[in-house]
Amino acid sequence: DITGSMGQVAHLIAAGGLETLVTEIFSRKPVSDPHIAFAGIGDVLADGYPKCLQVSQFESDMIMIDQLKKLWVAGGGGGNMSESYTLLWHAALFHTRTDAYEKDGRKGFLFTFGDDGVPPDLTQDNLRAVYGRDDEIVMSNEDMLAEVSKMYHVFHINIEHDGCKLGQHLEAGWQKILGERFLNLTDYTKLSEVIVSVMQVVAGADKQAVVDSWQGGTGLVVKQTISGLSTVHGKSSVVRF
């Protein structure tokens, strides 16, 4: 989420706050042969291109950090109590193909994170603002989530920061559509550790063992954030696009 409400948090994350994510994925190996991309999401109802969606290439080495730092933290957004997180669902569903999924049935991981509510269903006008054409497939959030979840483990992480908390009705909206795969994070500096921990649990690792693998306060934040997450066994991978 690169909108104005995220403030300095978005700048800190884009400036390298996710480097721990990359190093820990390669170190802990929750998936094999990881390929990682980063994206910046704005508000398609208020922002023009490229403020509303930026997506990097998928990379298998530390060059991905350089791409992360090139994301334009544009600010912007509107007072409509949502940002366009589902644009990334749409891009993943209709503009990616993965050998791991198509040849081996392995899902990737798709994480969005920000501080606002579920956006309204995308329209053709919204998609035209991003892609510049009128032939994009339009689906409801629920239908799009069902389809993209065949290819990816989809999560959304709400980030509390600077006294900003998601209202109860907005949190309920996320829980309605994502259930236990909506996570609330009280310390954004532990975002990388939470993402890696989620990947480990989904891949079949014992949740308590994952929590215990982090030291001190980090373990406490991870425990709190993933407390409601079930262990889901199955083949998973962050894959090449």
Side-chain angles (χ1 to χ4, degrees):
D1 183 342
I2 56 170
T3 62
S5 65
M6 285 286 284
Q8 188 64 17
V9 172
H11 287 275
L12 293 172
I13 291 172
L18 291 176
E19 287 190 40
T20 298
L21 172 67
V22 176
T23 57
E24 291 294 342
I25 286 176
F26 283 113
S27 174
R28 292 174 176 248
K29 304 186 188 307
V31 297
S32 59
D33 190 29
H35 288 66
I36 302 173
F38 296 104
I41 303 168
D43 182 0
V44 74
L45 298 178
D47 300 329
Y49 177 83
K51 287 185 179 181
C52 50
L53 184 65
Q54 304 166 57
V55 184
S56 78
Q57 296 289 333
F58 272 66
E59 302 289 353
S60 60
D61 56 33
M62 293 304 288
I63 194 174
M64 65 186 72
I65 295 299
D66 293 333
Q67 297 206 359
L68 169 64
K69 294 177 180 179
K70 289 178 181 178
L71 290 180
W72 179 33
V73 183
N80 47 29
M81 306 181 77
S82 69
E83 310 298 356
S84 298
Y85 306 113
T86 54
L87 279 176
L88 196 57
W89 296 1
H90 186 278
L93 177 58
F94 295 112
H95 296 285
T96 69
R97 297 182 65 179
T98 68
D99 287 343
Y101 174 71
E102 294 184 357
K103 296 181 180 180
D104 198 29
R106 291 185 295 155
K107 290 185 180 183
F109 285 86
L110 192 160
F111 291 91
T112 54
F113 48 87
D115 63 356
D116 221 328
V118 180
D121 293 344
L122 294 169
T123 68
Q124 190 61 250
D125 285 343
N126 298 155
L127 297 174
R128 185 186 306 113
V130 177
Y131 297 107
R133 54 178 183 264
D134 294 316
D135 58 351
E136 291 296 326
I137 298 174
V138 179
M139 302 176 71
S140 68
N141 287 340
E142 289 79 5
D143 289 345
M144 188 161 53
L145 177 61
E147 291 301 311
V148 76
S149 293
K150 296 175 183 178
M151 301 166 59
Y152 298 92
H153 300 289
V154 180
F155 291 86
H156 180 76
I157 301 174
N158 176 65
I159 297 180
E160 295 184 6
H161 63 94
D162 302 322
C164 178
K165 290 188 176 183
L166 202 63
Q168 188 174 14
H169 63 297
L170 296 181
E171 183 173 331
W174 278 115
Q175 290 174 337
K176 180 179 180 181
I177 193 170
L178 280 177
E180 68 178 35
R181 298 200 171 196
F182 166 71
L183 306 173
N184 191 69
L185 177 61
T186 58
D187 183 353
Y188 74 89
T189 67
K190 309 304 181 189
L191 177 62
S192 292
E193 291 87 343
V194 165
I195 291 175
V196 175
S197 297
V198 168
M199 294 173 68
Q200 290 182 276
V201 171
V202 170
D206 178 77
K207 185 161 59 175
Q208 189 59 52
V210 171
V211 170
D212 292 342
S213 70
W214 302 106
Q215 295 183 349
T218 299
L220 293 175
V221 173
V222 170
K223 180 178 181 179
Q224 179 187 43
T225 307
I226 70 170
S227 59
L229 182 63
S230 301
T231 299
V232 181
H233 297 278
K235 295 182 290 184
S236 306
S237 179
V238 176
V239 294
R240 178 183 291 114
F241 277 39

